[in-house]
Amino acid sequence: MSDNEIRVTAEQGWSAPVVGIMGGLGPLAGATFLRVLTLLTPAESDQEQLDAVLLSHSTTPDRTARLTDPAAPDPAPVLLADALRLQGIGAELIAVPCNSAHPFLRAVADQVSVPMIDIVETTATAAVEQAAARAEGRPPRVGILATTGTRAAGIYADAVRALGGEPVDTSDDEQREVMRIIYDQVKAGLSTDLGALLALVDAMVAKGSDVVVLGCTELSVAYDEHNLGRDPRLVDSVDALARETLRRAGRTPKNPVVPGE
């Protein structure tokens, strides 16, 4: 062995549990999830953070397109290949920061040997629990802001009902605004219209929502972009997924110090 040759030993490997992140769905959502996960981790140094692998596969077929048009390209084979890649790298947990991917991940989860964290179940559970504290004896009402694909498939509506809550839907005009923020702004790499996003939250609260779910990770990106801190009316799916990931990894999530909070 020469003087400048480096030898790799077992000590240079991963520290368990390794978190695999299926990103690129879209790319900013995966990056935002890793940021939120890092901020929520109780760590005082780099070495106390979780080891994680972010696989940002941005060319994965659009999930909403497939949910609204069966003839559109199917993202399921790509999602399965990515889950197997992360498993092969050594991931022991897989987080998928994309709500519209939820229907495609059921079959994927059956074909990998590591747990895949369900963002919809995790977020819906947090939302119903938070809403119940305000419901005063009636069924908790959960407003849902999500892609048209998630809305059409009833992904959150079904999850909320299964937990004893009442989903509150957007109007068609409100849904067009949701999609404008997601596709014309976040996915297009543009600054988001904060006023429009907050107006949507206000509208859902005005309809009787006890809490409002940011049920698309691009909406999480939009909210995170403006460093607004915590809004007690909201349950953010990226935040909920990050917290559940930490719990599964044996860590207790902390609340990050966020400008404006």
Side-chain angles (χ1 to χ4, degrees):
M1 183 176 180
S2 64
D3 291 342
N4 61 355
E5 186 176 348
I6 300 172
R7 176 175 294 172
V8 177
T9 68
E11 293 180 356
Q12 282 80 54
W14 301 98
S15 293
V18 180
V19 176
I21 304 167
M22 289 173 61
L25 311 171
L28 280 173
T32 297
F33 173 76
L34 182 56
R35 175 182 179 275
V36 172
L37 183 70
T38 302
L39 288 172
L40 286 172
T41 302
E44 296 181 356
S45 68
D46 294 347
Q47 291 71 32
E48 292 179 358
Q49 290 284 343
L50 292 171
D51 283 335
V53 179
L54 171 59
L55 194 165
S56 189
H57 197 161
S58 58
T59 55
T60 302
D62 188 279
R63 285 66 57 201
T64 287
R66 177 71 175 194
L67 289 171
T68 55
D69 179 4
D74 185 0
V78 180
L79 295 170
L80 174 59
D82 287 346
L84 292 172
R85 287 187 183 100
L86 288 169
Q87 178 178 294
I89 289 170
E92 296 161 89
L93 286 170
I94 296 178
V96 188
C98 177
N99 293 278
S100 297
H102 174 76
F104 308 103
L105 294 174
R106 295 166 184 161
V108 171
D110 291 338
Q111 297 181 68
V112 296
S113 60
V114 298
M116 299 186 71
I117 304 171
D118 188 326
I119 188 172
V120 172
E121 180 182 348
T122 296
T123 304
T125 299
V128 171
E129 288 177 354
Q130 188 169 318
R134 303 180 179 190
E136 299 180 349
R138 58 169 169 73
R141 299 181 186 128
V142 178
I144 302 162
L145 299 178
T147 64
T148 299
T150 295
R151 182 192 190 211
I155 295 169
Y156 267 105
D158 291 346
V160 167
R161 288 191 189 100
L163 293 165
E166 292 183 358
V168 179
D169 195 11
T170 51
S171 68
D172 289 345
D173 285 344
E174 288 162 351
Q175 188 60 32
R176 280 188 282 272
E177 271 294 271
V178 170
M179 292 296 282
R180 182 177 73 86
I181 293 169
I182 294 170
Y183 277 85
D184 297 347
Q185 297 179 357
V186 178
K187 287 184 179 293
L190 301 176
S191 296
T192 53
D193 185 344
L194 177 61
L197 177 58
L198 295 180
L200 286 166
V201 174
D202 290 340
M204 300 304 281
V205 171
K207 292 182 185 184
S209 302
D210 297 302
V211 298
V212 180
V213 166
L214 298 182
C216 173
T217 51
E218 269 72 33
L219 296 177
S220 303
V221 170
Y223 194 81
D224 185 73
E225 173 191 335
H226 296 282
N227 290 322
L228 295 175
R230 291 194 171 278
D231 184 331
R233 303 175 300 169
L234 296 179
V235 175
D236 177 0
S237 59
V238 161
D239 181 84
L241 179 64
R243 291 176 183 277
E244 182 62 17
T245 300
L246 284 166
R247 294 186 191 102
R248 298 279 193 98
R251 305 288 190 93
T252 299
K254 68 177 184 179
N255 289 322
V257 178
V258 179
E261 186 164 321

